[in-house]
Amino acid sequence: MVDGGLDSLLLKPLDPYWSVMLVGFDMPSLIELVVTTAVFIYLLQNYTLGIIKVFMIIWALIMGVMMIFLLNRICICFNFWLAKASSLGGVIEDLTSMLSRPKVFFPTIIQLVFTFVVPVLTVTNMPVEIIKGDGSVKELVYFSIACVALYYLSRYEWDQGMKNYYSAN
């Protein structure tokens, strides 16, 4: 945004919010996702899961990807107001990596903050909890609502940033 790269995206017929995402699409991450999905499916063969649990797992994974995308989007949109804030995009990846252990591993306050405020622990733990039988539809509904709320927050942040955006050229 600071270097003028957003200017050309604003001229495209696609919504700039989504254009920025498509321009930054990361092919190695897609390959990693395919490989991880194949390994995950192979490992799931060791469990007897009903169709409901399978759909819950798939939904949790989709919502997890959306959650990480939206949290990244919120961090990156700070570029509208802060110079050199692009490094904030790495914060979510670092959090995801740090919080990839079972929820019980962390102190209660960390569990609460990263489950209900910034739901990274939910992203990393929900699929396993569903497989173990600890995940509930209620938690999945909360997670989905949190995703929708984060989408609207990120859209609001984007729209406010666009109102204040001046071309770097």
Side-chain angles (χ1 to χ4, degrees):
M1 291 178 213
V2 175
D3 64 2
L6 184 58
D7 295 345
S8 64
L9 294 175
L10 292 175
L11 299 174
K12 296 190 187 282
L14 185 63
D15 180 0
Y17 180 87
W18 295 106
S19 291
V20 170
M21 180 198 66
L22 293 173
V23 166
F25 187 75
D26 185 18
M27 189 56 85
S29 292
L30 180 63
I31 293 168
E32 182 179 330
L33 177 65
V34 170
V35 170
T36 304
T37 302
V39 169
F40 188 69
I41 290 169
Y42 174 76
L43 292 175
L44 276 180
Q45 294 174 5
N46 296 330
Y47 295 92
T48 305
L49 301 172
I51 191 74
I52 302 281
K53 277 193 178 182
V54 169
F55 281 122
M56 286 175 67
I57 292 166
I58 292 169
W59 187 250
L61 292 172
I62 291 169
M63 289 294 99
V65 168
M66 280 303 295
M67 182 71 66
I68 297 301
F69 165 75
L70 292 169
L71 289 170
N72 270 325
R73 171 66 61 173
I74 288 167
C75 287
I76 290 169
C77 281
F78 279 117
N79 278 311
F80 282 121
W81 294 280
L82 305 172
K84 304 207 189 275
S86 59
S87 61
L88 287 175
V91 169
I92 301 304
E93 282 84 9
D94 291 342
L95 276 175
T96 304
S97 180
M98 287 187 308
L99 299 171
S100 64
R101 285 141 189 74
K103 202 183 298 186
V104 296
F105 178 80
F106 301 98
T108 305
I109 189 69
I110 299 292
Q111 289 181 35
L112 291 173
V113 168
F114 290 105
T115 298
F116 297 105
V117 180
V118 182
V120 175
L121 268 176
T122 306
V123 170
T124 60
N125 282 259
M126 176 80 66
V128 175
E129 289 175 357
I130 293 168
I131 292 168
K132 288 174 39 183
D134 296 337
S136 69
V137 172
K138 182 175 138 182
E139 289 173 332
L140 201 52
V141 168
Y142 158 74
F143 190 41
S144 300
I145 291 170
C147 249
V148 170
L150 269 180
Y151 170 74
Y152 283 109
L153 177 64
S154 76
R155 273 313 291 225
Y156 177 78
E157 181 188 27
W158 173 266
D159 292 340
Q160 293 307 305
M162 291 305 296
K163 286 179 186 175
N164 298 314
Y165 176 74
Y166 293 99
S167 175
N169 294 326

